[in-house]
Amino acid sequence: MSERYATIAEQLAKWHQDHLLAFWDVLSEQQRTTLLDSLSDSVDCGALDEAFRRAMATATSTKEDLNELLKPLARERYLSVAEAKEAELENLRQIGLEQIRAGRVGVILLAGGQGTRLGSSAPKGTYNVQLPSGKSLFQLQAERIRKLQQLAGGDGRIHWYIMTSEHTHTETLDYFRENDYFGLPGEQVRMFRQRSVPCVDFEGRILLDEKWKVSTAPDGNGGIYRALKDEGILDELERTGVQYLHAHSVDNILIKVADPVFIGYCVRKEADCGVKVIEKVQPDEAVGVVCEVKGKYQVVEYSELSSETANRRNPTDGKLTFNAGNICNHFFTISFLRRIADTQMPLHVAKKKIPYIDTATGERVKPNAPNGIKMEKFIFDVFPLAERFVALEGRREEEFSALKNADSAGIDCPSSVRGDIYRLHRKWLIKAGAVEVLDAADASFDCEISPLLSYAGEGLELAASGQSFRCPVHLTGTDERLAD
């Protein structure tokens, strides 16, 4: 222990981080071991110093005004589901199902976050929004994978990779085990951790979360690329024959997991990187837009758009010119991921109120104002590296409803996502031939259709045609497994 301590202490002193050992004399042997393990595993002082300087230089530099450089995505690289003919969409769907049937499609679920804004410290994917079924986000997505495999036919499996964080990994793994992976074979589901980076103050000094523990935070969803390589997942994907990956965030309750239309479009266009977007209809909506800048494709944050640019409309149809709203819904080829795995990703600075141990007093401090930074990478920062980039615009009411806030916020909350599911599933029933479903304005309007019965509204004619439904409606699939 003394030799290991001396080596680490020397490195910390060299980089002016020796305050991390301020409480060594009062720590138990177990706490000392925990601290040294933490410093060995997660703190590379030289790399952290370089990253901090790079991040701060980016944060404080004068950003180039993009507003005169922006171009909307070229039409040959962009397809709107709402404008496409049904025959074309069916052709794309069949291409996607063929890839799934052949076992060439995998899914990456970005599930490192906790439900903090929902009032929960549990992994967000375990959250129950109080649907009639009681299903969590994880269960809904697992069942969509099961149904899609059934629709594709054959022996093809959709390999499911779930990126957790140090804060969610163990609890997520336990949750899946306790629920028997929601009907999927355990070997089909693989969990891996994204990296964590130390939180630092505005001078680059690492903060202590406890006297024996460094304060850390996940490195952002852009950490996926390095994690896929370091965890051996790229090698695993190639061994199993997977060629295409669908990556998405856990909190979109309407997500079409491994959407065959999206997969089919990207495959047909021979894309190495693709994005699914929704139409941005309000100029001030707080969502980034996918566009072209100097011949490269990227996401421009809404805060970077001038009012004039955000409000610009097409003379032909009156739609916003820059309306490709980014919703963290991506397509990658394995060869693209292999090519960019070692790319130095841009670092984004997030100023946060980070609780810490005051090394002068030993007291835990909960700041009232931002006192430090978390350094994050964004998944979309690889778009400019794509050689063949495409975008598919889905329908918002069918594709996107985010769960981020408690009901008190009124938007992106449990009640709003429930309502979005109810409206969509009512629409499915009517399209399948139902003659009556209680009006959406009625307070008792609860309508849920299990993913095991229908992935995207298909196959409901037998249950719905000529039928009248009184809400609440809850249609289940065969071999249905409901939450307790």
Side-chain angles (χ1 to χ4, degrees):
M1 178 75 76
S2 59
E3 182 178 346
R4 186 185 185 202
Y5 171 86
T7 300
I8 290 176
E10 181 181 357
Q11 283 298 307
L12 293 178
K14 175 182 177 182
W15 295 98
H16 307 291
Q17 301 285 5
D18 44 323
H19 63 284
L20 298 176
L21 297 173
F23 305 106
W24 183 262
D25 292 340
V26 301
L27 299 182
S28 68
E29 285 303 313
Q30 181 58 52
Q31 289 170 340
R32 288 179 175 182
T33 299
T34 299
L35 178 59
L36 292 184
D37 288 345
S38 174
L39 293 173
S40 298
D41 296 340
S42 61
V43 179
D44 179 335
C45 291
L48 180 66
D49 183 73
E50 189 276 333
F52 172 74
R53 295 179 185 280
R54 183 159 55 94
M56 294 304 290
T58 301
T60 57
S61 63
T62 302
K63 286 189 175 183
E64 181 180 26
D65 186 356
L66 298 176
N67 288 277
E68 296 302 318
L69 304 172
L70 298 185
K71 294 182 180 179
L73 296 176
R75 293 307 302 177
E76 64 268 18
R77 295 180 179 271
Y78 189 89
L79 176 68
S80 168
V81 168
E83 297 174 2
K85 294 181 178 179
E86 185 55 40
E88 180 178 15
L89 296 178
E90 182 57 28
N91 175 259
L92 296 176
R93 187 178 294 109
Q94 292 305 318
I95 293 172
L97 290 173
E98 178 184 350
Q99 301 306 317
I100 293 169
R101 186 162 50 248
R104 301 190 188 107
V105 176
V107 170
I108 297 279
L109 175 60
L110 308 175
Q114 298 165 290
T116 307
R117 282 191 277 171
L118 294 163
S120 169
S121 61
K124 188 181 285 188
T126 67
Y127 196 82
N128 177 355
V129 303
Q130 302 301 314
L131 292 170
S133 66
K135 293 176 182 178
S136 66
L137 298 172
F138 280 141
Q139 183 170 355
L140 292 170
Q141 292 166 28
E143 291 182 355
R144 285 174 189 147
I145 288 176
R146 289 173 57 189
K147 183 61 177 179
L148 190 53
Q149 289 176 160
Q150 183 187 78
L151 291 173
D155 299 324
R157 286 183 174 181
I158 298 172
H159 294 269
W160 198 17
Y161 294 86
I162 301 175
M163 188 171 79
T164 63
S165 66
E166 65 171 320
H167 304 292
T168 65
H169 185 82
T170 299
E171 196 170 347
T172 299
L173 183 57
D174 290 344
Y175 181 74
F176 272 81
R177 286 173 173 168
E178 290 165 3
N179 289 280
D180 299 321
Y181 294 89
F182 301 106
L184 290 167
E187 64 271 16
Q188 190 176 333
V189 184
R190 167 88 142 82
M191 297 182 194
F192 66 102
R193 292 181 181 89
Q194 68 184 112
R195 300 298 178 263
S196 293
V197 293
C199 301
V200 299
D201 65 18
F202 297 129
E203 303 301 321
R205 285 164 53 89
I206 299 170
L207 298 172
L208 280 173
D209 187 49
E210 301 286 354
K211 293 178 181 179
W212 59 89
K213 182 183 177 184
V214 169
S215 178
T216 61
D219 61 354
N221 55 25
I224 182 178
Y225 305 111
R226 188 58 184 266
L228 287 173
K229 179 182 178 183
D230 290 351
E231 294 288 330
I233 291 174
L234 290 181
D235 294 333
E236 185 178 318
L237 289 165
E238 290 175 345
R239 287 195 303 270
T240 56
V242 174
Q243 297 180 22
Y244 312 111
L245 279 178
H246 178 216
H248 65 89
S249 58
V250 72
D251 58 8
N252 178 7
I253 202 168
L254 296 184
I255 185 71
K256 290 183 177 178
V257 186
D259 175 18
V261 174
F262 185 34
I263 300 294
Y265 178 63
C266 292
V267 169
R268 190 181 72 178
K269 300 293 284 188
E270 298 183 335
D272 56 358
C273 178
V275 61
K276 184 183 281 190
V277 299
I278 57 169
E279 182 185 356
K280 181 178 177 179
V281 294
Q282 298 297 330
D284 58 351
E285 184 179 3
V287 60
V289 293
V290 184
C291 51
E292 182 181 337
V293 180
K294 297 181 178 179
K296 299 291 184 180
Y297 303 96
Q298 68 179 69
V299 174
V300 177
E301 296 293 350
Y302 66 94
S303 58
E304 297 181 80
L305 299 175
S306 68
S307 176
E308 179 185 358
T309 301
N311 281 276
R312 190 179 307 166
R313 294 185 179 272
N314 302 328
T316 52
D317 57 16
K319 293 183 178 181
L320 293 173
T321 301
F322 300 102
N323 68 350
N326 179 51
I327 56 173
C328 194
N329 195 321
H330 310 294
F331 167 93
F332 304 108
T333 63
I334 304 305
S335 58
F336 174 78
L337 294 174
R338 177 72 75 183
R339 177 166 64 84
I340 59 92
D342 292 322
T343 299
Q344 188 179 70
M345 297 281 289
L347 289 169
H348 302 267
V349 169
K351 295 182 179 181
K352 299 287 187 177
K353 294 181 284 187
I354 306 171
Y356 68 99
I357 300 296
D358 188 326
T359 54
T361 66
E363 299 295 322
R364 184 170 180 80
V365 179
K366 291 187 176 181
N368 296 318
N371 63 306
I373 67 170
K374 297 179 180 180
M375 291 176 281
E376 301 176 316
K377 303 170 186 175
F378 294 163
I379 191 170
F380 53 71
D381 278 331
V382 298
F383 288 1
L385 304 177
E387 295 175 352
R388 296 177 303 279
F389 183 85
V390 298
L392 179 74
E393 181 191 286
R395 294 183 177 94
R396 183 189 294 254
E397 66 275 13
E398 297 178 356
E399 303 258 8
F400 183 65
S401 180
L403 178 66
K404 297 183 180 296
N405 308 310
D407 270 333
S408 57
I411 59 170
D412 298 339
C413 58
S415 59
S416 68
V417 301
R418 282 198 308 273
D420 288 338
I421 278 193
Y422 296 159
R423 279 183 286 274
L424 177 61
H425 289 188
R426 179 179 183 268
K427 177 181 174 182
W428 288 357
L429 289 178
I430 293 173
K431 186 176 180 180
V435 296
E436 181 184 38
V437 182
L438 197 63
D439 189 81
D442 192 286
S444 64
F445 173 67
D446 294 353
C447 182
E448 181 186 3
I449 299 172
S450 168
L452 296 175
L453 183 61
S454 182
Y455 172 82
E458 78 295 326
L460 294 174
E461 288 77 13
L462 185 62
S465 183
Q467 299 296 312
S468 296
F469 292 91
R470 291 183 179 275
C471 294
V473 175
H474 182 205
L475 301 185
T476 61
T478 57
D479 191 29
E480 184 78 349
R481 181 188 186 285
L482 299 182
D484 296 331

